[in-house]
Amino acid sequence: MSTTETSTEAAKAPAVPPAPNRVKTIVRQLLGTPRVIIGLALLALLAVFAFTGPLMTGWEVGERDFTALLDEPSPEHWMGTNKTGQDVFTQATAGLQKSLLIGLLVALLSTGIAALVGAFAGYFGSITDRALMWIADLALVLPSFVILAILSKHFGDGGWFVLVILLAAFSWMVTSKMIRGMTISLREREYIHAARFMGVPSRKIILRHILPNMSSLLIADATIAVSTAIIGETSLSYFGFGVQPPDISLGVVIADGSKFANSSWWIFAFPTLLLVILVLAVNMIGDGLRDALDPQSKSRRS
């Protein structure tokens, strides 16, 4: 067969369609989900408030205006002032910044711990599995809020980062059990057996082959864990067990304003509204991610 005939037959052959791009598919699904768009827009707006709010008003965090004590919202103080003359908008946005940072760090740490514990327990099985899952079960039955309150007071001098570590230490157990179950299934796949036969160390198999196959679940759970961590931090700070002065968070601002919720509503209403919108936005994004990355979750809820 001549070269010309070969090229002619190749030209007549149907073109092979390109392989679907999973990233583009997921992005299209996310952009086609209204609640994800709304959640991203709200989160972006809150992030702008958190990092530019203290700069927009001209008032420093903790700065006091002794000529305006418990003043209502005005052009000088957009959301009024508290009992010591501090600008509520500045305090609330600064607290939002710290709460958002705590939520992100806790989500990253807790998801990382859950991934490693669940994957190692499911892959190795036997004694390793029983020991790690026993620790997870023990952490689940412990009264986490009480323990966090006691420990955060004891290690209060370490600042808000100690609170991040404590919250992450009690936030990984449920996800680790899910990862363990998926790892038990994945370790029997042919490519895992092939990697083991080629002498690839177990830790590399877990990090390079097993965990990347569960990235969808990990990303979705990490997103939802942000709101859980923010609620946990706010609750602890509200009762005086979380972020300690001179640091500030939404829980601290809400706790200060709760005493004036009836008489000076603006002190309590604005930071509480920020917290509600923040948790709502993160949950909307997390649900959309879970549906896009794990279609089975959508069908299960339906």
Side-chain angles (χ1 to χ4, degrees):
M1 184 180 293
S2 64
T3 306
T4 305
E5 293 176 349
T6 304
S7 60
T8 303
E9 291 181 1
K12 293 180 179 179
V16 179
N21 190 314
R22 179 167 171 78
V23 175
K24 292 183 178 179
T25 303
I26 292 173
V27 171
R28 282 198 300 268
Q29 291 176 345
L30 291 177
L31 295 179
T33 307
R35 66 176 180 273
V36 174
I37 302 301
I38 297 173
L40 288 172
L42 290 175
L43 189 62
L45 182 61
L46 290 174
V48 171
F49 272 155
F51 291 94
T52 65
L55 304 176
M56 294 164 58
T57 60
W59 294 94
E60 298 289 338
V61 179
E63 184 180 358
R64 292 174 171 82
D65 184 1
F66 293 106
T67 63
L69 303 179
L70 292 177
D71 267 16
E72 296 183 358
S74 64
E76 183 69 18
H77 299 283
W78 299 346
M79 291 297 167
T81 60
N82 59 16
K83 63 180 179 179
T84 60
Q86 294 173 326
D87 186 77
V88 174
F89 184 87
T90 303
Q91 294 290 104
T93 50
L96 174 64
Q97 180 183 142
K98 186 59 63 67
S99 294
L100 189 57
L101 183 60
I102 290 174
L104 291 173
L105 289 177
V106 171
L108 289 175
L109 286 175
S110 63
T111 303
I113 295 171
L116 292 177
V117 171
F120 274 84
Y123 183 83
F124 289 106
S126 188
I127 298 177
T128 303
D129 183 18
R130 289 195 294 269
L132 292 176
M133 288 301 100
W134 181 84
I135 295 174
D137 291 335
L138 177 62
L140 278 172
V141 300
L142 291 175
S144 58
F145 187 87
V146 176
I147 295 176
L148 286 171
I150 296 173
L151 293 179
S152 61
K153 273 293 186 181
H154 184 69
F155 296 107
D157 295 337
W160 60 269
F161 190 71
V162 174
L163 180 62
V164 169
I165 297 175
L166 294 176
L167 286 171
F170 286 93
S171 305
W172 56 271
M173 294 81 70
V174 175
T175 304
S176 70
K177 289 180 173 292
M178 298 170 59
I179 298 298
R180 170 186 175 272
M182 296 180 67
T183 302
I184 293 175
S185 175
L186 288 174
R187 73 182 182 185
E188 302 302 328
R189 301 289 177 88
E190 293 181 357
Y191 64 91
I192 299 295
H193 287 301
R196 192 183 298 120
F197 178 77
M198 293 172 63
V200 179
S202 298
R203 67 178 186 278
K204 290 186 178 180
I205 294 177
I206 293 174
L207 296 177
R208 295 182 180 179
H209 299 290
I210 291 180
L211 289 180
N213 277 280
M214 292 182 283
S215 58
S216 301
L217 172 67
L218 294 175
I219 292 172
D221 277 8
T223 305
I224 297 175
V226 174
S227 62
T228 305
I230 290 173
I231 293 175
E233 176 276 320
T234 303
S235 302
L236 287 169
S237 299
Y238 181 86
F239 291 105
F241 301 119
V243 176
Q244 303 294 324
D247 288 328
I248 188 172
S249 71
L250 279 178
V252 174
V253 179
I254 292 173
D256 291 339
S258 63
K259 304 171 186 176
F260 303 91
N262 294 326
S263 58
S264 303
W265 57 268
W266 57 88
I267 305 177
F268 178 76
F270 182 60
T272 304
L273 180 63
L274 287 180
L275 175 63
V276 172
I277 296 175
L278 175 60
V279 174
L280 177 64
V282 174
N283 283 339
M284 292 173 72
I285 297 172
D287 287 341
L289 276 172
R290 185 166 53 188
D291 289 346
L293 298 174
D294 185 13
Q296 294 181 355
S297 66
K298 185 176 181 180
S299 61
R300 285 195 296 267
R301 288 203 302 273
S302 300

